[in-house]
């Protein structure tokens, strides 16, 4: 079992920045990949960014060049630095992990609102 706790969401103006954090606990050694997904009202959940333990990164097309994912293996934490935020980035952001046995775990979600 892996537990995920997100933090760092909030309200920001267009063009602003936010950093999300996701701390993992439990069966840490089983983690293969951690990432962020988001879901806006009336829309499907979509990939924002993911990173493997080896540091390989993957980004959704809508955030490339604006968002950066990073991981701190010593702290079992993954970060999502979000710059040049747009109103369409407004969503609930969920931390996600996939283990080496392909089990999937989700955090509770954190709201990000981009509005003037």
């Amino acid at each position: 079992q892996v537990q995920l706790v997100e933090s760092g969401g909030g309200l920001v103006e267009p063009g602003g920045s936010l950093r999300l954090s996701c701390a993992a606990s439990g069966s840490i050694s089983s983690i293969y990949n951690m990432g962020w997904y988001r879901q806006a009202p009336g829309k499907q959940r979509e990939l924002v960014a993911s990173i493997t333990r080896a540091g390989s990164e993957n980004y959704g097309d809508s955030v490339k060049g604006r968002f950066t994912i990073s991981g701190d293996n010593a702290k079992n934490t993954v970060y999502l630095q979000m710059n040049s935020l747009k109103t369409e980035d407004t969503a609930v952001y969920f931390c996600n992990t996939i283990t080496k046995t392909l089990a999937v775990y989700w955090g509770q979600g954190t709201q990000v609102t981009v509005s003037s």
Side-chain angles (χ1 to χ4, degrees), residues 19 23 30 69 72 100 110:
R19 189 176 82 152
S30 68
I69 191 169
D72 186 334
K100 296 171 185 175
T110 185

Side-chain angles (χ1 to χ4, degrees), residues 80-92:
L80 183 68
Q81 179 65 43
M82 306 185 292
N83 298 328
S84 302
L85 282 161
K86 305 175 181 179
T87 55
E88 51 262 46
D89 294 318
T90 295
V92 178

Side-chain angles (χ1 to χ4, degrees), residues 6-10 20-21 36 91-95 107-113:
E6 302 114 329
S7 61
L20 305 182
S21 300
W36 291 93
V92 178
Y93 284 68
F94 296 91
C95 183
Q108 79 283 0
T110 185
Q111 177 70 45
V112 172
T113 302

Side-chain angles (χ1 to χ4, degrees), residues 30-94:
S30 68
I31 291 175
Y32 168 74
N33 170 296
M34 290 185 72
W36 291 93
Y37 285 71
R38 68 185 182 187
Q39 188 166 20
K43 295 188 177 181
Q44 290 188 330
R45 192 170 295 189
E46 63 174 358
L47 171 71
V48 177
S50 65
I51 186 168
T52 67
R53 272 198 177 275
S56 178
E57 301 171 16
N58 185 38
Y59 294 92
D61 289 340
S62 62
V63 306
K64 286 180 181 176
R66 299 189 297 123
F67 292 11
T68 302
I69 191 169
S70 61
D72 186 334
N73 288 336
K75 295 182 178 180
N76 302 314
T77 299
V78 65
Y79 304 97
L80 183 68
Q81 179 65 43
M82 306 185 292
N83 298 328
S84 302
L85 282 161
K86 305 175 181 179
T87 55
E88 51 262 46
D89 294 318
T90 295
V92 178
Y93 284 68
F94 296 91

Side-chain angles (χ1 to χ4, degrees), residues 10-27:
L11 173 65
V12 63
E13 293 185 348
S17 298
L18 277 177
R19 189 176 82 152
L20 305 182
S21 300
C22 175
S25 61
S27 301

